[in-house]
Amino acid sequence: MKKSIVTILFLTTIFSSIKGQSNKLQDFYNYNPILEHRVDEVFQSLNDTARVAQMIVTSAGELGKPNSVVLNLAKKNKIGGVVFLKGTKENHKKLIDSLNAINTTKKHLPLLYSIDAEPSLFNGRLKGTAPVINTIDIKTIGQSDSIARIINNELLEIGFRQNFAPVADVSPQNEAIKNRSFGNDKQKVIELSKQFINTTQKQGIIATAKHFPGHGLVKGDTHKKSVYIDGKLQELEIYPPLIESGVLSIMMAHITITNNSKYNTNGLPASCSRNIVTNLLKNELGFKGLIITDALNIMKAVTIINDAPLLASKAGNDMLLMPINETKTINSILNEMKKDTAYKQQVYQSVKKIIRLKLCLGLIGEN
């Protein structure tokens, strides 16, 4: 009897100790029964519509949707995150504050705010910030670390907790990538990307390696047309070291793969191909983090496809970036879930990943 009481007291002490600790971003990949329980608790508090909405990332800023539209989507609980495009620090902060007020009043899950704060795009996305050098001009691990810190400090001050950076593509020659790459040396790209990722995530921001499976050694710009990897995936070797080092998010490219018996996408962009998202990235490379599409609303390589957001979700993406119509995308996914039990469970796993990240970021309370 005494032994049982001692055991109970011991377990209670451990439980209280764990519960008293705040989850950190580094905890995402670690097993913690308290965290697992809290993820399930939050998940069970949502209906299917609210769950699917967690996968939707709308756009804001001067090149995004009007503020009134974004605020209305938040009020109706139709989004899980917002990516901020070009704008001033003040305007971005003002909208984030308004969105947070809505979520608090409505008791919705907090939104995840993201931005393309790559060194080369940083000053354009956040007008008024101190100039930083382009990605291509970063030559050392120390520079990668210091530039990431400068960017992170600005992002945290405004409320951004996900950065769609770094670009892990290997070439500055591609017309879409240009000076956004760390260069042509794959090993250097890996080293500098790893440092940027580690610094970003240690400061409490989700880093995102992009554009999988590689956008540097192709001809063309997916914003303008379909772009092809013809044959071997020459940039694939960059990703295993980044996955091993703990990158939390990877962005899929809208690149079609041809003349590759193992990784052919059958005319679809990689972002909409289950062979690439699930078979290659999840199963073969073992990536357990958050997978997000590139923009679904402005890039011709994907807008020419019927119901691309649904296809991207079925392929295995967890978050859908900038679908043209958020409500239509949610309804399309819900209808498919009713017909396909396996797909429904896949959606649930995606939603639980998002909830887990929001818990690890401290966005959702511990209850």
Side-chain angles (χ1 to χ4, degrees):
M1 184 72 175
K2 286 183 180 179
K3 190 175 181 181
S4 298
I5 292 172
V6 170
T7 303
I8 291 169
L9 287 172
F10 175 75
L11 291 173
T12 302
T13 303
I14 293 295
F15 182 89
S16 300
S17 172
I18 294 172
K19 192 168 183 179
Q21 296 172 4
S22 295
N23 295 311
K24 296 179 181 177
L25 205 46
Q26 302 94 294
D27 296 334
F28 178 82
Y29 288 122
N30 299 326
Y31 175 75
N32 178 333
I34 307 304
L35 180 56
E36 312 303 322
H37 175 73
R38 186 69 181 117
V39 169
D40 286 337
E41 202 171 42
V42 174
F43 178 81
Q44 294 300 333
S45 72
L46 307 173
N47 60 31
D48 273 355
T49 303
R51 289 167 180 165
V52 173
Q54 287 299 302
M55 302 171 68
I56 308 298
V57 183
T58 195
S59 60
E62 293 173 21
L63 301 176
K65 295 198 170 181
N67 286 0
S68 58
V69 173
V70 178
L71 291 166
N72 195 44
L73 286 167
K75 286 175 186 174
K76 293 182 177 179
N77 204 15
K78 294 289 182 73
I79 50 176
V82 183
V83 60
F84 283 70
L85 307 177
K86 182 180 179 183
T88 65
K89 292 166 59 176
E90 293 73 23
N91 286 343
H92 285 344
K93 180 72 166 64
K94 186 177 178 181
L95 181 55
I96 285 175
D97 289 344
S98 297
L99 289 166
N100 287 342
I102 289 170
N103 282 318
T104 300
T105 302
K106 297 278 189 179
K107 293 183 168 57
H108 296 160
L109 289 190
L111 297 171
L112 178 58
Y113 303 116
S114 53
I115 189 167
D116 286 296
E118 312 161 15
S120 297
L121 298 182
F122 175 57
N123 299 128
R125 291 294 189 269
L126 275 177
K127 293 188 289 186
T129 48
V132 298
I133 59 177
N134 290 324
T135 310
I136 194 66
D137 296 319
I138 296 173
K139 303 298 183 185
T140 68
I141 287 174
Q143 283 182 316
S144 185
D145 174 68
S146 62
I147 295 296
R149 287 181 188 279
I150 291 168
I151 291 171
N152 296 339
N153 291 338
E154 293 276 14
L155 298 190
L156 289 169
E157 185 182 322
I158 299 166
F160 293 110
R161 301 302 298 274
Q162 182 171 24
N163 187 1
F164 293 145
V167 170
D169 303 317
V170 301
S171 174
Q173 304 305 319
N174 175 270
E175 69 175 284
I177 304 303
K178 299 176 183 173
N179 62 15
R180 298 165 60 194
S181 165
F182 284 114
N184 284 319
D185 184 327
K186 289 181 185 178
Q187 194 53 45
K188 206 72 174 173
V189 170
I190 291 169
E191 289 175 6
L192 298 177
S193 294
K194 279 173 70 172
Q195 185 60 58
F196 193 98
I197 289 163
N198 291 339
T199 300
T200 298
Q201 294 183 173
K202 280 180 182 175
Q203 287 192 262
I205 296 173
I206 299 165
T208 307
K210 62 185 186 185
H211 308 78
F212 188 86
H215 201 311
L217 299 176
V218 296
K219 292 180 180 178
D221 184 344
T222 47
H223 291 86
K224 302 173 183 176
K225 62 180 181 179
S226 294
V227 173
Y228 299 88
I229 293 176
D230 189 355
K232 183 182 177 183
L233 303 184
Q234 298 182 67
E235 300 175 70
L236 187 59
E237 64 198 80
I238 290 189
Y239 283 89
L242 304 186
I243 292 169
E244 189 177 340
S245 70
V247 66
L248 287 166
S249 179
I250 289 177
M251 180 180 284
M252 297 299 306
H254 299 315
I255 293 178
T256 304
I257 300 164
T258 60
N259 297 319
N260 187 315
S261 58
K262 187 175 183 181
Y263 300 124
N264 200 296
T265 59
N266 298 314
L268 291 172
S271 54
C272 295
S273 168
R274 189 168 180 82
N275 191 32
I276 302 302
V277 182
T278 295
N279 295 347
L280 175 54
L281 183 53
K282 288 185 179 180
N283 297 341
E284 191 174 328
L285 299 188
F287 183 60
K288 306 297 183 189
L290 192 76
I291 304 174
I292 186 165
T293 68
D294 206 339
L296 291 162
N297 65 337
I298 55 171
M299 303 181 81
K300 290 284 175 61
V302 74
T303 54
I304 57 176
I305 296 169
N306 186 42
D307 215 348
L310 175 62
L311 276 178
S313 172
K314 292 184 76 173
N317 288 278
D318 303 302
M319 293 189 90
L320 306 172
L321 183 62
M322 297 162 60
I324 293 171
N325 186 314
E326 294 84 358
T327 301
K328 181 182 176 183
T329 297
I330 291 171
N331 290 336
S332 183
I333 291 172
L334 287 170
N335 288 335
E336 190 67 22
M337 286 167 66
K338 291 173 185 175
K339 297 183 283 184
D340 188 336
T341 305
Y343 172 62
K344 182 178 181 179
Q345 291 306 313
Q346 178 188 305
V347 167
Y348 283 177
Q349 290 309 309
S350 290
V351 175
K352 286 181 179 180
K353 268 194 223 177
I354 296 164
I355 292 170
R356 187 183 185 89
L357 272 169
K358 288 184 176 182
L359 282 164
C360 290
L361 286 166
L363 299 179
I364 301 173
E366 290 190 356
N367 197 19

